[in-house]
Amino acid sequence: MSLGLIQGCGGGGGGNDTTPEPVKPSSYDLQATMSQYYTKAQSWSLSGTVGAVPVSAVLSVAPKTGTAVFPVNGKAYTYTQQEMKLTVNGQTTNTMGELFFDATVMQTEAVSARSDDTCEQAQTKGSFSRAAKVGDSGANGSGFEYVSCAPGAAVEANYVDTWQLKEEGGRVLLCLNRSSKVVASGFTRVGSQCHQVLADGSLGPFMSLSLITEDGTLSMKTL
């Protein structure tokens, strides 16, 4: 599973987990919200657990000009760069990659984390509502996770992405959810990456991550 972890999505600098959103409008332009992720340099500091082990992380997004090539199919896309620094038991792993996207509808085309040789590509696109209300949800595309980033790599898993706008802990959250079925074993990986959406539609400082894979469970949120 990618993301960006779940899928590419960034946000405001590490925030205060106890600060609720003060004013909530009747609807949100989620396409404008996602545009910030793809086009604005941002980062979060996170903490949580992998199983019962405490972990910390920094997730950063840095938009780039021009295009970059997705290695599996050799095609060039508009992109932004993602970096995840994950620290477990004093050991830090740094994963960097590109998030390729369609700037007209703010949908992910592909993700390439070449540092750990994980790649994925969308086969269908969803649609973010421009007037979403709390409780709304929708499709966010589907595609393939590959066994590697090598050209013509085989499919490891088939994924389906959805979005959901919900209220939790006094905040409005845009959650990007994934269900990913592994071809060989039939195991279904499940993940969610939630971002606070402020009254003006911009990304707030709070975010959370959850992920269930064959290797265990990860759960993190902003400090």
Side-chain angles (χ1 to χ4, degrees), residues 3 9 29 36 39 44 51 53 58 71 81 86 88-89 96 106 116 121 134 152 190-191 209 216:
L3 213 91
C9 193
D29 184 345
Q36 287 194 42
T39 62
W44 282 281
V53 179
V58 177
Q81 191 171 63
L86 181 67
V88 183
N89 290 328
M96 296 190 68
M106 294 302 158
D116 65 354
Q121 183 180 11
V134 172
V190 179
L209 292 170

Side-chain angles (χ1 to χ4, degrees), residues 114-212:
R114 305 187 201 196
S115 58
D116 65 354
D117 200 29
T118 58
C119 278
E120 64 184 61
Q121 183 180 11
Q123 299 299 303
T124 67
K125 295 178 184 179
S127 178
F128 287 107
S129 172
R130 306 207 73 154
K133 295 177 174 59
V134 172
D136 287 353
S137 60
N140 197 27
S142 63
F144 304 134
E145 297 173 5
Y146 297 101
V147 297
S148 74
C149 290
V155 173
E156 178 184 19
N158 299 281
Y159 71 79
V160 176
D161 287 342
T162 59
W163 62 263
Q164 178 187 16
L165 191 67
K166 66 180 184 179
E167 186 171 350
E168 184 177 281
R171 304 180 188 88
V172 172
L173 302 177
L174 171 60
C175 292
L176 307 174
N177 306 312
R178 169 166 295 186
S179 176
S180 181
K181 187 171 184 178
V182 179
V183 174
S185 67
F187 183 90
T188 299
R189 302 165 181 162
V190 179
S192 184
Q193 182 169 337
C194 297
H195 296 268
Q196 183 182 15
V197 183
L198 301 180
D200 63 359
S202 62
L203 288 167
F206 177 82
M207 74 166 292
S208 65
L209 292 170
S210 64
L211 186 62
I212 300 173

